[in-house]
Amino acid sequence: MLSQIGLLKSILQRLEQPGLLIYPVVAHAGILLDQILIPVIYLLTFIYIISINKFSRYRLVVAGLTALLCIIIYITAKLDLQNIIIYLPPILIPSWLAIVFLGSLRSDYALISKIAERMEGQALDRRHLLYTRILTALWGGIFLLMICEAVILAIYAPFEVWSWWVHIGNYIIIAVLFLIEMTVRHRFTGKKPQFFQMLQVLLQQNRHD
């Protein structure tokens, strides 16, 4: 039984990161197809997977979470609340990221400083430490702007336009900014871009946190 629980936990852990990355595409497709309940169910199931991953050793908790998931999905469909739920992730996810990035500035080592140090395998020099600290603050500011964007577009823009921006456009912007940042980092610190190593460290950091 313990081995089965361990296998379940391992599978659920592997589903967390790709599940989060796929969500914007699922959400946007559901909106374009006028099937909003699909991304809502996907989102609730994703939250359920994370919860099960945290409490997989407690069978009663797992059973309770399963029942709660079914009840929430039923109430959402019955009361037509899917539109409200679909608006929340583009606000809550950047809010969480802003808190993580900006909150790390209170310590001597900001979040990106810690990631860079893991990549280097040694303490950062003052120039690199200053750069990563400023970069952490900039990314925190970008996530704050995304919160404002999601709220303003939710109020004034058509549903489809809002979805294009928050589910597709923002991720394209992040990718472009990320590539620009890697180039700037190379000029500022003299370190060559190491995308795959950075991705590996980010995944390890996520599992650790």
Side-chain angles (χ1 to χ4, degrees):
M1 183 66 181
L2 291 177
S3 62
Q4 292 176 339
I5 292 176
L7 177 61
L8 174 63
K9 187 173 182 178
S10 177
I11 293 173
L12 293 179
Q13 284 179 334
R14 294 178 182 276
L15 289 176
E16 284 187 20
Q17 289 154 354
L20 182 61
L21 292 174
I22 294 172
Y23 169 74
V25 177
V26 175
H28 188 61
I31 291 171
L32 292 182
L33 297 173
D34 198 23
Q35 299 292 330
I36 303 176
L37 192 59
I38 293 177
V40 169
I41 293 175
Y42 179 92
L43 176 63
L44 294 174
T45 303
F46 176 73
I47 296 173
Y48 169 77
I49 287 174
I50 295 177
S51 302
I52 292 297
N53 183 28
K54 304 301 181 185
F55 303 104
S56 59
R57 288 183 289 179
Y58 305 99
R59 284 180 290 179
L60 288 178
V61 175
V62 171
L65 288 172
T66 304
L68 181 62
L69 174 67
C70 295
I71 292 171
I72 292 175
I73 291 176
Y74 174 78
I75 293 175
T76 298
K78 195 72 175 178
L79 299 181
D80 197 26
L81 299 176
Q82 51 263 41
N83 281 14
I84 297 176
I85 293 177
I86 208 71
Y87 276 119
L88 294 179
I91 297 174
L92 296 180
I93 293 175
S95 297
W96 170 68
L97 290 171
I99 291 172
V100 171
F101 276 73
L102 297 178
S104 70
L105 294 173
R106 293 180 296 179
S107 64
D108 293 335
Y109 267 64
L111 178 62
I112 297 180
S113 301
K114 294 178 181 178
I115 294 172
E117 188 175 69
R118 287 191 181 186
M119 290 179 60
E120 295 296 324
Q122 59 185 4
L124 304 179
D125 57 44
R126 291 185 61 183
R127 185 178 177 84
H128 201 172
L129 187 61
L130 174 62
Y131 174 79
T132 52
R133 191 170 186 83
I134 293 173
L135 186 61
T136 301
L138 287 175
W139 276 111
I142 290 170
F143 293 129
L144 288 177
L145 290 175
M146 287 184 177
I147 298 169
C148 297
E149 172 207 54
V151 172
I152 292 173
L153 289 177
I155 296 173
Y156 297 107
F159 198 26
E160 292 78 7
V161 173
W162 168 85
S163 182
W164 270 112
W165 274 104
V166 301
H167 291 135
I168 306 298
N170 279 352
Y171 290 88
I172 295 175
I173 292 172
I174 288 175
V176 172
L177 291 176
F178 188 72
L179 292 174
I180 293 173
E181 185 277 319
M182 292 182 71
T183 303
V184 173
R185 180 181 302 192
H186 176 50
R187 293 185 177 181
F188 190 87
T189 65
K191 305 292 184 180
K192 293 183 179 180
Q194 297 173 306
F195 176 77
F196 292 106
Q197 183 183 357
M198 183 181 296
L199 182 61
Q200 183 180 10
V201 172
L202 284 171
L203 294 177
Q204 290 173 350
Q205 178 79 18
N206 183 56
R207 291 193 186 100
H208 180 264
D209 293 340

